[in-house]
């Protein structure tokens, strides 16, 4: 059976986190593999990253951050349910735990999201091409509703739905990574309703949870796309997004979002992703398999007046992943 035609957006997350990381991201963009970036406006290098985006005409969205570093909104001036006593966001798992316990005031989430959208506008002089969530915070219960409302109010139509088909069966992932992927998948399923009701759009398929850091290879990227394509009729035009985190490793104290760079940013895993993305092997393999790299704005379905994407193909991607 002929493989369906795929138009793939490759998004580099955490743009603005660190100058060395940004250097690698730009290198991958100029190599033609990365086609989009997501900017952390509270990142230590946000301003220089914005300048790079303008210089190289890089399609840039907002990487909404509610979990790492310092806020940019009103919360930075006083006590907030979003922050620790030290004035930092609660962390990847701390924020999730606070949301689950009902300890996060959603109006404060809305204020911070609006502040980050405004900051993006000031840095780039335009609205973001898309908005996704740092550490997938945008699909958390309650947060996803506020997120969708804020994007609709600001006229942003495109987001990320981090539902990677079959990631639960990826034996190479460590148990904590599989557990986190499962919780993100569960939350993303529940976020479909609020996202749809507020007119947000996303690609038909998403990959990247199973190919993060040391786990990225041309073979695994290809395999992740193949899993996403199961049961899709031959010849069907499919859109997909590959989440990536390339860059040269951060060297403390430079980088981060106010607390310095984390261990992942300082590790060789970011450089590994950069090398996989810029090597000819991946691009040749994608081309051989009928995958066309493109920017978000180039996707066929992204036309004014259309319905929410995924309507025809959503159900196959909402089947539970193997556990």
């Amino acid at each position: 059976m002929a493989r369906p035609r795929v138009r793939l957006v490759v998004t580099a997350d955490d743009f603005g986190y660190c100058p060395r990381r940004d250097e690698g991201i730009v290198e991958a963009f100029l190599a033609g593999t990365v086609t989009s970036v997501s900017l952390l406006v509270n990142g230590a290098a946000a301003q220089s990253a914005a300048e790079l985006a303008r210089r190289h005409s890089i399609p840039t969205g907002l990487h909404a951050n509610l979990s790492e570093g310092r806020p940019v909104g009103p919360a930075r001036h006083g006590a907030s349910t979003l922050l620790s006593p030290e004035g930092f966001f609660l962390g990847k798992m701390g924020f999730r735990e606070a949301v689950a316990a009902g300890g996060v005031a959603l109006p404060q989430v809305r204020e911070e999201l609006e502040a980050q959208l405004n900051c993006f506008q000031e840095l780039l002089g335009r609205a973001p091409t898309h908005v996704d969530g740092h550490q997938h915070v945008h699909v958390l219960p309650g947060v996803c509703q506020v997120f969708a409302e804020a994007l609709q109010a600001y006229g942003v139509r495109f987001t990320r739905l981090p539902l990677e088909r079959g990631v639960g069966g990826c034996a190479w992932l460590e148990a904590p990574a599989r557990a986190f992927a499962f919780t993100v998948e569960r939350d993303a399923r529940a976020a479909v309703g609020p996202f749809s009701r507020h007119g947000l759009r996303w690609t038909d398929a998403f990959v990247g949870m199973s190919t993060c850091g040391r786990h990225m290879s041309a073979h695994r990227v290809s395999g992740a796309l193949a899993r996403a394509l199961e049961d899709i009729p031959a010849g069907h035009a499919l859109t997909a997004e590959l989440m990536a985190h390339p860059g040269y490793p951060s060297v403390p104290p430079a980088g981060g979002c106010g607390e310095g760079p984390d261990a992942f940013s300082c590790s060789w895993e970011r450089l590994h992703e950069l090398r996989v993305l810029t090597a000819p092997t991946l691009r040749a393999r994608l081309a051989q398999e009928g995958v066309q790299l493109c920017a978000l704005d180039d996707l066929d379905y992204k036309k004014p007046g259309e319905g929410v994407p995924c309507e025809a193909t959503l159900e196959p991607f909402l089947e539970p992943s193997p556990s």
Side-chain angles (χ1 to χ4, degrees):
M1 179 181 294
R3 185 168 182 170
R5 180 170 61 90
V6 183
R7 307 196 76 193
L8 178 66
V9 176
V10 181
T11 305
D13 287 358
D14 305 338
F15 198 48
Y17 191 89
C18 167
R20 284 175 53 81
R21 288 272 303 283
D22 295 344
E23 179 184 351
I25 289 172
V26 171
E27 184 177 321
F29 174 77
L30 295 177
T33 312
V34 162
T35 63
S36 175
V37 299
S38 292
L39 175 69
L40 286 163
V41 296
N42 72 332
Q47 186 167 346
S48 59
E51 293 170 358
L52 288 170
R54 288 193 298 269
R55 183 187 312 163
H56 299 289
S57 300
I58 303 174
T60 305
L62 171 65
H63 207 38
N65 186 3
L66 300 170
S67 58
E68 183 179 358
R70 294 190 183 276
V72 301
R76 71 184 187 276
H77 299 302
S80 170
T81 62
L82 304 180
L83 306 180
S84 69
E86 294 73 31
F88 296 108
F89 286 132
L90 302 174
K92 177 180 177 178
M93 301 312 297
F95 182 67
R96 284 173 161 76
E97 292 164 2
V99 169
V104 170
L106 293 178
Q108 293 176 345
V109 170
R110 176 69 179 260
E111 288 178 346
E112 179 61 25
L113 288 172
E114 290 177 344
Q116 293 189 21
L117 284 160
N118 289 334
C119 186
F120 184 99
Q121 180 77 37
E122 292 171 4
L123 287 168
L124 273 297
R126 60 166 178 78
T129 58
H130 64 278
V131 182
D132 52 38
H134 184 49
Q135 299 168 339
H136 308 297
V137 295
H138 66 304
V139 297
L140 288 172
V143 175
C144 64
Q145 175 70 28
V146 174
F147 175 85
E149 291 171 359
L151 265 61
Q152 184 179 47
Y154 276 74
V156 178
R157 305 185 70 187
F158 309 129
T159 189
R160 169 187 293 166
L161 190 71
L163 263 174
E164 181 171 351
R165 191 174 189 181
V167 70
C170 298
W172 60 85
L173 293 178
E174 298 84 356
R178 287 201 304 273
F180 181 68
F182 176 78
T183 62
V184 171
E185 178 183 359
R186 177 199 62 202
D187 293 338
R189 293 173 190 277
V192 168
F195 285 3
S196 298
R197 286 192 294 273
H198 290 277
L200 296 183
R201 303 177 172 196
W202 54 88
T203 54
D204 295 315
F206 165 83
V207 297
M209 299 286 281
S210 65
T211 60
C212 186
R214 73 188 70 186
H215 302 303
M216 180 175 279
S217 68
H219 174 73
R220 284 178 176 161
V221 169
S222 175
L225 287 171
R227 289 193 301 274
L229 295 173
E230 290 175 4
D231 304 325
I232 303 302
H236 178 82
L238 189 80
T239 61
E241 179 186 16
L242 168 62
M243 173 185 69
H245 304 85
Y248 292 99
S250 301
V251 178
C257 299
E259 300 174 276
D262 62 18
F264 185 27
S265 187
C266 296
S267 76
W268 59 269
E269 296 190 56
R270 302 285 188 167
L271 180 58
H272 172 74
E273 286 201 30
L274 176 61
R275 287 173 173 165
V276 172
L277 289 169
T278 55
T281 305
L282 175 60
R283 282 172 288 170
R285 184 161 190 156
L286 292 175
Q288 183 180 11
E289 295 176 347
V291 178
Q292 178 186 357
L293 295 172
C294 65
L296 199 64
D297 292 342
D298 294 333
L299 297 184
D300 290 337
Y301 65 74
K302 296 192 180 301
K303 298 175 182 176
E306 289 184 345
V308 176
C310 304
E311 280 186 292
T313 57
L314 186 58
E315 285 305 316
F317 298 105
L318 294 186
E319 296 172 359
S321 297
S323 57

